[in-house]
Amino acid sequence: MKQATLIRNLKLFNAKERDHLMRAAYLGVDGRYADTTQFLSKNFDDKLKTHLKGLDIDESKAICVFAGMDYHLDWLFAALWMTANHPNWHEKPGDKICLPLETHKKLDGINNLHSDFRPLTGTQEDIDLLVVYSDGKKLAMLFIEAKGSAAFNRVQLGRKLIRLDRIIAHTDSELQMQCRLVLVAPKKPAFKDIEGKEYKSWISFAQGLPEKRAKEFEVMKAALSEIKSNIGDEIHFMPLTEYPEKLYKVERQRETKSKEGAYTHCILKLRKPTKDAT
């Protein structure tokens, strides 16, 4: 019952128009979103399901029961919190329900992006693709972060790991849900430290923040060490084989090399392949 409620809630908050547009354009879903059972192509689904290994869910019986593109973390928190605290919410739409918004105190010398990890923030921070699988008894939630030619950034990853962990803390135990983060990119970055040692988990990778900015990231490092869920226990990567090998960008150019010079034209520039993590 709680699992069906969560899936209903995830759908009720999914106001990302491009998600519905892409599903209609690429999968041919006819608009009956409340009842749809088709979220992923078979090819993508087959590859993604391999990342359920190691979780307490029957991979052979697992089916995708929800997928949402650019899904806001606030929506995810609301869906989980409402499932736990107001499971019959949709039956009484006139009820005034207040979700708990914690306070955040600005810290001197530290950007809010590196210190404000509240599960609910009132911002549009999102996960590139949220996918939920069910084997009929248990749920698995996969958070997909996608990169093309940009680097996989430690700060961005660390922030999302912390916020997701704090959101997961509000999950009702009856859901029997597990979570995992998966990176999708054309090629796997070299997740290695400055000594060439390979990181074994997202947590350890994210903690390798720039030492020259140690003060700025001390709150984030401390928060990463306090993560309680299994979301960052391992590194999971899935190749984006459909990504084009050659892409160009349109880049603005100034009339002089001075940073104050006016932009006068653009050039076409070959994009570099996916960079290693930074």
Side-chain angles (χ1 to χ4, degrees):
M1 178 60 182
K2 286 287 182 73
Q3 293 184 1
T5 299
L6 173 62
I7 301 307
R8 177 206 68 196
N9 287 349
L10 289 170
K11 291 180 179 180
L12 289 175
F13 287 111
N14 188 13
K16 188 63 68 172
E17 62 276 4
R18 81 183 73 175
D19 177 59
H20 301 280
L21 174 64
M22 291 300 99
R23 186 174 294 109
Y26 293 156
L27 296 180
V29 176
D30 61 7
R32 294 190 297 242
Y33 184 56
D35 303 316
T36 187
T37 56
Q38 186 178 10
F39 291 97
L40 305 174
S41 71
K42 185 179 185 305
N43 179 52
F44 188 88
D45 184 48
D46 288 344
K47 290 190 289 186
L48 186 60
K49 274 201 291 192
T50 64
H51 292 276
L52 296 174
K53 286 184 173 66
L55 296 178
D56 188 16
I57 186 172
D58 189 338
E59 184 187 343
S60 65
K61 296 180 180 179
I63 60 171
C64 176
V65 292
F66 177 80
M69 179 172 59
D70 296 338
Y71 201 86
H72 292 191
L73 300 191
D74 279 3
W75 298 348
L76 175 60
F77 170 81
L80 289 168
W81 192 87
M82 292 296 289
T83 300
N85 296 280
H86 298 276
N88 298 318
W89 160 63
H90 77 305
E91 296 174 6
K92 298 179 180 179
D95 286 355
K96 183 178 181 180
I97 299 174
C98 297
L99 279 66
L101 179 60
E102 302 169 10
T103 59
H104 171 70
K105 183 179 179 181
K106 178 75 171 69
L107 301 174
D108 291 339
I110 299 180
N111 191 309
N112 278 343
L113 288 174
H114 307 151
S115 62
D116 182 4
F117 309 121
R118 291 173 294 173
L120 184 63
T121 63
T123 67
Q124 297 186 24
E125 186 173 17
D126 61 28
I127 196 77
D128 291 337
L129 183 66
L130 170 65
V131 180
V132 183
Y133 283 99
S134 171
D135 65 1
K137 296 180 180 179
K138 299 177 180 179
L139 294 180
M141 190 173 283
L142 301 183
F143 304 107
I144 315 302
E145 279 292 289
K147 293 295 180 185
S149 55
F152 194 48
N153 187 276
R154 281 182 170 86
V155 177
Q156 180 189 41
L157 172 64
R159 177 176 173 78
K160 288 192 178 179
L161 283 173
I162 298 165
R163 276 201 71 195
L164 286 169
D165 178 70
R166 295 184 181 184
I167 290 170
I168 293 166
H170 292 271
T171 303
D172 193 302
S173 59
E174 291 182 27
L175 287 172
Q176 299 188 66
M177 187 178 75
Q178 300 167 84
C179 302
R180 175 168 281 166
L181 186 140
V182 180
L183 169 66
V184 174
K187 73 168 189 175
K188 185 177 181 179
F191 292 110
K192 297 180 180 180
D193 61 20
I194 56 176
E195 297 178 351
K197 184 178 180 180
E198 189 167 343
Y199 291 105
K200 300 299 183 183
S201 71
W202 290 131
I203 300 292
S204 61
F205 167 71
Q207 286 177 323
L209 294 161
E211 289 297 331
K212 62 181 179 181
R213 297 166 65 187
K215 174 68 176 177
E216 184 177 347
F217 296 120
E218 62 181 10
V219 176
M220 180 177 283
K221 276 193 172 184
L224 284 167
S225 67
E226 296 171 356
I227 285 181
K228 296 181 176 62
S229 67
N230 63 347
I231 185 173
D233 288 351
E234 300 174 346
I235 286 180
H236 280 263
F237 171 80
M238 190 173 93
L240 185 62
T241 55
E242 296 81 5
Y243 197 79
E245 292 184 7
K246 181 184 290 187
L247 288 172
Y248 281 83
K249 59 182 176 180
V250 180
E251 188 176 273
R252 293 187 302 173
Q253 298 290 304
R254 298 182 187 274
E255 58 183 349
T256 66
K257 293 183 178 180
S258 169
K259 291 183 178 180
E260 284 71 39
Y263 289 108
T264 58
H265 62 285
C266 295
I267 63 171
L268 303 183
K269 195 171 182 179
L270 185 65
R271 288 184 182 273
K272 295 180 181 179
T274 302
K275 299 176 183 177
D276 286 341
T278 61

